[in-house]
Structure formats: structure tokens, C-alpha cells
Amino acid sequence: MVNGIRDQPPLPEKEIKSLFPYFPPRSLFDIEVASTSCGRKIRGKYIETFITPDSLISIGHAKDNLKRVCDAARVSIRNHIPITTLGGFTSIFLEGDLDLLPVHDCGKFTSGNTLTAALIVKGVIDGCNLLNVNIGQSQLLILGATGDLGSACAHYFKGKVSKLHFVARNQKRLAMFCDQFNGYDFAASCNAAELIPDADIIIAVTSSSEVRLDNVKTGAIIVDAGYPKSLSAASLPKEAKLFYGGMGIVKAGYTSIPDYHRYFYNFPLPFIAHGCVLEAMVLAFDNRPESYSSGRGNIRKEKMDEILDIAYKHGIERAPFYNDKGLWPV
Ligand code: NDP
């Protein structure tokens, strides 16, 4: 991004990282997006917090990160933006607690996680259909089950798969989470290696880059919806079917003004975007500037179904299956 703006040869990653803390949160570009349903175009702003994945997980950066999120929210409030989505890092940091944002009386905030979760489960269902996998007879493992996306997926698939497997590191939180699944067949562990060999479908929604998948079942469907990605096709057995989930595609396209888009993401098709970003667009198209997703662990099937229906109505659909090697089949 820094390189894109300067139009100079790429800076080494180390140098970019050292510069990051000096950038205050600010709007980097405008984005214009069209709906296929009403033909309407909306214009929004991309506000960058300049929080890096490294500083997200570092306790020492907690105070600075919170300030950055609040300063980014102030940029949105100052610009009178009716609906703002927090995006992956920001929502993890706040744990979806919108009350931590500056007090204001204009504009709503949403974490963007309901549409993300809906796109993840749609990917699982469509992937199973495509590969002739019987979802009702499948065992589903969720890495990061106690998180906002993980718990949404767990509740969605409750009673729809033959067994659920939950993995997270914090044992106490995992045990409390499991209490919500009494009466269903499930297993839970802080050690993913214990459960991975049984799983036909794996959803990875950790906010960690330390994920390793060893002894994956032959032909398992694996969804990585984390950002940054924790998994690559090369790190998995050849027969494993990996796709990057929680992503959507805007049928009528979008443009960034100025055109910095190519400096940001390297998707295999144009007009792919993260579900969290798309949630704000969907709500804006539908004239519903509301805090659709807030808090951690509150996302339920009804709202996932609703936001996905609204998204499809406006031509925002699940992105085609792809991973780091490109579009399926790869
Ligand atoms: P949360 O912080 O709410 O949840 C993260 C979960 O992962 C928790 O259950 C956490 O539990 C667990 N976890 C973290 N590290 C590990 C590990 N090494 N091994 C096992 N479990 C782990 O995050 P969200 O649910 O909001 O987001 C999850 C991911 O999805 C993030 O990477 C985020 O950036 C990405 N995201 C993607 C979006 C998209 O549009 N595709 C949109 C929003 C988010 P514990 O700490 O106990 O281990």
C-alpha cells in the first residue's frame, strides 16, 4: 500500500512494518459499488487502522490498538458515514463490543461477521454438493470454535452434521462454550491434533498463524476464513480440498477511487472482497444502517440466512472457490 501510493519500487517488508506505527488511522480511498437489483451506486470510504497482525496479538500493543480503532471510528463519524463495518482485526480487538467506540449520535457500526459467517457456511454446503459429500454423515471440525465466526458456524451446523468437533486454546472458555451443545454429538479439545484425523470438513477461523493441520483425512474439505490466511495448499495433502471462505464477489463490480485496489489484495478474480467489508455495502443497499453484528458469540442462523438473502438480492454472492494456487479445480 505504501509502495502503491509512492509508485516506487517495493519497500522491504521489515521497513514497511517499522513505518506502520507512525501512520495515524485515516481514509485511504473511496470505493464505489453497484447493486444488480436496484442499479443504485453507493460510495464509501476505506479507513485503515494501521494495526499489523503482529501488534494484534501483542499485549504490549493493546492500548495503542484500542486508540487506533477509536481514532479510525472518529474518522468515520467525522465523515458522517451512515454504516461502518469494523473488519477482521478491528472486530477481534474489540471482541465486537461496539460500546468501546467513541460516543456519537450519527452513523452505525457493525462487525461484519454475520455475512462473513453466512458466506463460510454457504461455501461448506456448496462445496459438499459439488464434491458429492453427504454433509449429514460428515464430521465437522471448527478451529477457533469459541470465536465470533467459529461459534456462528457451530450453531449453524448443530444437528446438520453427524458430529461436531471444537478446538480453541483457552480451556475454560471452550468448556463454557460446549455447555450450549448439550444433547448434540460433539468433541472438544485444546489440542487440534486429537480431533483432526476424524474430520471430513474443517473450518479454520482462528486469528492465529500458528495453525497446523497434520493427519488430515483423505479428501477432507478445508475452509480457511482467517485473515491473514493460516493455511496454504502446499501445507496440506494433495487430495485435501482447500478453499478460502468468508469471501464474496460483487457481480456489478466496484472501483476504488483513486485506483489503489491492485496494491491491496491478490485475488484470482476481480471484485472479490471480504464478507465483513461486504456486510456494510449490503446494509447500505438495503437502506438498513444498523448495528447488524455486534458482540462475540451472538450470531445465529436466522440472521445469517437473512443477510445472505439480502446480499444475493443485490448481486453480492459467495466468491468462487479458490486458494493460494488459484481457482478450483487446482
Ligand atoms: P475471534 O477472536 O472472535 O476468534 C478466534 C478464535 O480462534 C477463538 O476461538 C480463539 O480461541 C481461537 N484461536 C486463536 N488462536 C488459536 C490457535 N492457535 N489454535 C486454536 N484456536 C485458536 O475472531 P473472529 O471469529 O472474529 O475472526 C476469526 C478469523 O476470521 C480472524 O483471522 C479474522 O481476521 C478473520 N475474519 C475474516 C473475515 C472475512 O471477511 N473473511 C471477516 C472477519 C474476520 P482461543 O484464544 O481460546 O484459542
Side-chain angles (χ1 to χ4, degrees):
M1 167 206 49
V2 174
N3 305 339
I5 292 167
R6 293 167 70 241
D7 217 8
Q8 295 285 315
L11 288 174
E13 193 180 315
K14 203 173 153 202
E15 210 166 314
I16 294 178
K17 276 186 177 173
S18 72
L19 288 172
F20 249 60
Y22 296 99
F23 290 108
R26 65 189 182 95
S27 167
L28 288 186
F29 55 84
D30 282 12
I31 186 156
E32 196 170 76
V33 56
S35 157
T36 50
S37 143
C38 52
R40 210 171 107 219
K41 280 192 174 171
I42 51 170
R43 194 157 174 157
K45 286 197 178 296
Y46 182 99
I47 299 165
E48 177 60 59
T49 55
F50 295 101
I51 295 174
T52 62
D54 298 343
S55 69
L56 182 75
I57 54 170
S58 146
I59 295 289
H61 284 89
K63 214 168 146 188
D64 182 52
N65 285 345
L66 182 57
K67 183 173 177 310
R68 283 179 174 277
V69 173
C70 290
D71 287 349
R74 276 189 200 96
V75 175
S76 168
I77 294 164
R78 268 202 308 275
N79 281 280
H80 303 284
I81 293 173
I83 176 75
T84 305
T85 190
L86 296 177
F89 287 4
T90 326
S91 82
I92 290 171
F93 190 71
L94 287 190
E95 298 193 353
D97 186 354
L98 304 180
D99 292 340
L100 291 171
L101 295 175
V103 177
H104 62 284
D105 54 11
C106 63
K108 297 284 183 192
F109 288 82
T110 185
S111 75
N113 281 352
T114 310
L115 182 57
T116 305
L119 290 167
I120 295 171
V121 304
K122 173 124 184 74
V124 170
I125 295 165
D126 292 349
C128 286
N129 287 337
L130 185 73
L131 299 167
N132 291 321
V133 172
N134 184 327
I135 204 160
Q137 289 171 8
S138 300
Q139 301 200 33
L140 170 71
L141 169 69
I142 303 175
L143 283 164
T146 55
D148 202 28
L149 294 176
S151 60
C153 296
H155 284 288
Y156 191 96
F157 284 113
K158 193 162 64 176
K160 292 191 175 68
V161 291
S162 73
K163 186 168 179 176
L164 286 161
H165 298 267
F166 303 137
V167 176
R169 294 164 307 178
N170 184 312
Q171 194 154 18
K172 199 168 158 200
R173 204 160 42 214
L174 186 59
M176 279 166 59
F177 173 77
C178 288
D179 287 346
Q180 302 171 55
F181 293 85
N182 288 331
Y184 292 92
D185 194 4
F186 73 86
S189 175
C190 293
N191 179 5
E194 284 176 8
L195 305 179
I196 286 170
D198 289 333
D200 304 291
I201 305 164
I202 298 175
I203 300 177
V205 274
T206 68
S207 34
S208 162
S209 53
E210 296 157 18
V211 174
R212 277 184 60 88
L213 295 188
D214 294 324
N215 300 320
V216 170
K217 217 180 210 181
T218 306
I221 297 177
I222 299 166
V223 189
D224 183 356
Y227 180 76
K229 296 294 163 213
S230 352
L231 300 169
S232 67
S235 67
L236 294 165
K238 242 185 20 232
E239 326 75 50
K241 299 286 179 193
L242 170 72
F243 72 88
Y244 292 157
M247 309 300 296
I249 187 161
V250 183
K251 291 285 179 187
Y254 59 78
T255 42
S256 74
I257 307 149
D259 183 13
Y260 290 150
H261 186 257
R262 65 187 188 281
Y263 297 109
F264 272 74
Y265 298 110
N266 192 14
F267 298 133
L269 288 174
F271 311 138
I272 289 181
H274 290 89
C276 53
V277 174
L278 295 171
E279 182 167 304
M281 296 177 190
V282 169
L283 292 170
F285 279 137
D286 228 50
N287 296 315
R288 286 179 65 170
E290 51 190 83
S291 299
Y292 199 85
S293 319
S294 70
R296 190 187 255 169
N298 296 333
I299 301 172
R300 290 296 176 271
K301 181 180 181 304
E302 297 67 38
K303 289 196 90 178
M304 289 162 68
D305 289 342
E306 181 187 57
I307 193 88
L308 195 68
D309 281 350
I310 305 173
Y312 269 67
K313 184 174 87 183
H314 291 287
I316 293 179
E317 303 184 356
R318 175 183 61 71
F321 294 119
Y322 73 92
N323 61 35
D324 55 316
K325 282 191 173 167
L327 290 167
W328 278 18
V330 289

